[in-house]
Amino acid sequence: MTRPRALISWSSGKDSAFALHEIRREGAFDVVGALTTVNESYGRVSIHGVREKLLHAQLASAGLPPLVVPIPNPCPNDAYEERMTRAMADAKRSGITHVIFGDLFLADIRAYREQKLAGTGITPVFPLWRRPTSALARDMIASGLEAHLVSIDRAKLDRSFAGRNFDERLLKDLPAGIDPCGENGEFHTFVFAAPIFSQRIEVVRGDIVEREGFAYCDLVPA
């Protein structure tokens, strides 16, 4: 039986990596590529600030061809939607029928994705939806997933969290009200080891840069 062909919406972080892990474990879809938006001015993954070279190292280790969508800086919403619409049309022509997202509980984000894919012939899939994030964070860690915090919202967390490992100690240190998975935008991660990877992505932590209310830890290939 031929499985539906799918893309994973890949942010370089833990949620998309664990969503891919769950989808591969269940075996219902043939994931044939990874969809990522990259800031074309800086050559870095949108929001996370991860170097494009590290993105490609991840996807090579995961055995996934990259589908990179370059976006301008700054990126007005209409420009973002125009480029994503074009990418989805290309994906549909290549036989893609589903896109997998790592969203957890933000209903407005899910509704936006469903609205934008409605009528395209591509169906969104949310394998982690509504899983309690305290347990989910620990499931991620127990699976062998390892990540660094690469982007910190300074309105919610101290800059000292930038660059830290996503591990049990971090979960204990998070202030009250901070989601253990950072689902409210408190932090974003870069995964350097995971059960979906054939090998670890060796990185070193570089400078921490503050820009527009966020603290970014620059990861450099080792």
Side-chain angles (χ1 to χ4, degrees):
M1 180 178 174
T2 302
R3 296 177 296 165
R5 288 163 55 86
L7 296 175
I8 178 81
S9 178
W10 186 265
S11 68
S12 77
K14 59 181 177 40
D15 297 343
S16 52
F18 201 68
L20 178 61
H21 171 62
E22 295 289 76
I23 286 290
R24 281 182 167 174
R25 191 171 58 82
E26 292 164 4
F29 296 94
D30 181 16
V31 183
V32 297
L35 177 72
T36 308
T37 55
V38 169
N39 184 309
E40 61 188 2
S41 298
Y42 294 106
R44 291 175 182 261
V45 176
S46 302
I47 301 175
H48 292 232
V50 169
R51 296 170 185 242
E52 193 170 358
K53 182 175 182 178
L54 291 177
L55 164 69
H56 287 284
Q58 283 183 321
L59 298 181
S61 189
L64 288 175
L67 175 54
V68 171
V69 180
I71 59 173
N73 179 62
C75 185
N77 197 54
D78 57 351
Y80 171 82
E81 292 185 352
E82 187 274 330
R83 296 193 186 196
M84 288 300 294
T85 297
R86 191 188 316 157
M88 288 298 93
D90 290 344
K92 179 61 180 173
R93 281 192 291 271
S94 71
I96 303 298
T97 58
H98 294 77
V99 177
I100 297 150
F101 296 98
D103 300 305
L104 306 180
F105 60 70
L106 296 181
D108 55 338
I109 299 296
R110 175 169 178 158
Y112 174 81
R113 300 197 195 286
E114 291 172 336
Q115 175 197 352
K116 292 304 173 184
L117 288 174
T120 65
I122 294 180
T123 303
V125 180
F126 302 90
L128 307 182
W129 188 248
R130 294 293 187 188
R131 286 177 58 167
T133 51
S134 181
L136 178 60
R138 288 170 170 84
D139 288 344
M140 290 177 177
I141 294 165
S143 77
L145 184 149
E146 298 179 63
H148 293 306
L149 274 61
V150 289
S151 174
I152 303 297
D153 184 342
R154 289 289 286 107
K156 299 175 180 179
L157 284 173
D158 187 80
R159 68 174 274 154
S160 63
F161 281 90
R164 284 192 56 172
N165 288 346
F166 181 74
D167 55 18
E168 288 284 353
R169 182 178 174 185
L170 173 87
L171 299 182
K172 292 185 177 71
D173 289 346
L174 289 175
I178 300 299
D179 184 76
C181 287
E183 176 68 349
N184 295 307
E186 300 98 328
F187 61 86
H188 298 283
T189 58
F190 171 82
V191 172
F192 60 90
I196 56 167
F197 287 171
S198 61
Q199 61 185 27
R200 296 168 67 88
I201 313 302
E202 300 296 343
V203 297
V204 293
R205 283 169 280 201
D207 295 336
I208 295 176
V209 177
E210 294 203 32
R211 182 183 295 118
E212 299 175 354
F214 290 84
Y216 297 91
C217 178
D218 186 24
L219 298 182
V220 182

